Amino acid sequence: MKSVAALLLVVLVSVFAGMFSTLSFASPPDARCTCRNRDGSKLEIGQTVCIRVGDMAYLARCEMELNVTTWRKIRDGCPEARLSLDKPSIIP
């Protein structure tokens, strides 16, 4: 009975050791890694910007892919703020 328990323990330890040996813990990206905008400005990984190409505009985030920084499209169009010059209506 003790040999069966010992064999089971060896099997379980080897299975868990095999599972954890295949895991790779990625290091965070280098702080020097940046994406460049068309105007030459540098943005850090995780920052978002509106990219305009011809008559198209889209929101993109600076990301790392296969050890290379790249712009990842988040959505079509860019956020806009609008100011209304109409007089506000006062409700008595």
Side-chain angles (χ1 to χ4, degrees):
M1 192 67 172
K2 286 184 181 182
S3 63
V4 173
L7 180 62
L8 182 61
L9 181 62
V10 169
V11 169
L12 287 175
V13 168
S14 63
V15 166
F16 284 118
M19 286 174 45
F20 288 116
S21 68
T22 59
L23 294 177
S24 63
F25 298 100
S27 60
D30 191 339
R32 295 174 293 181
C33 295
T34 58
C35 293
R36 286 198 183 258
N37 206 351
R38 269 181 100 166
D39 63 1
S41 61
K42 294 180 183 179
L43 288 109
E44 294 180 8
I45 293 175
Q47 289 185 303
T48 57
V49 67
C50 178
I51 295 180
R52 297 183 189 280
V53 179
D55 60 343
M56 279 185 5
Y58 59 92
L59 195 61
R61 179 178 31 244
C62 177
E63 293 186 358
M64 183 72 81
E65 184 175 320
L66 296 175
N67 204 27
V68 177
T69 55
T70 186
W71 290 109
R72 173 87 42 160
K73 183 178 179 179
I74 298 173
R75 66 181 176 122
D76 290 327
C78 296
E80 294 181 8
R82 296 180 188 245
L83 178 64
S84 174
L85 298 176
D86 295 336
K87 288 185 178 181
S89 61
I90 300 174
I91 301 173

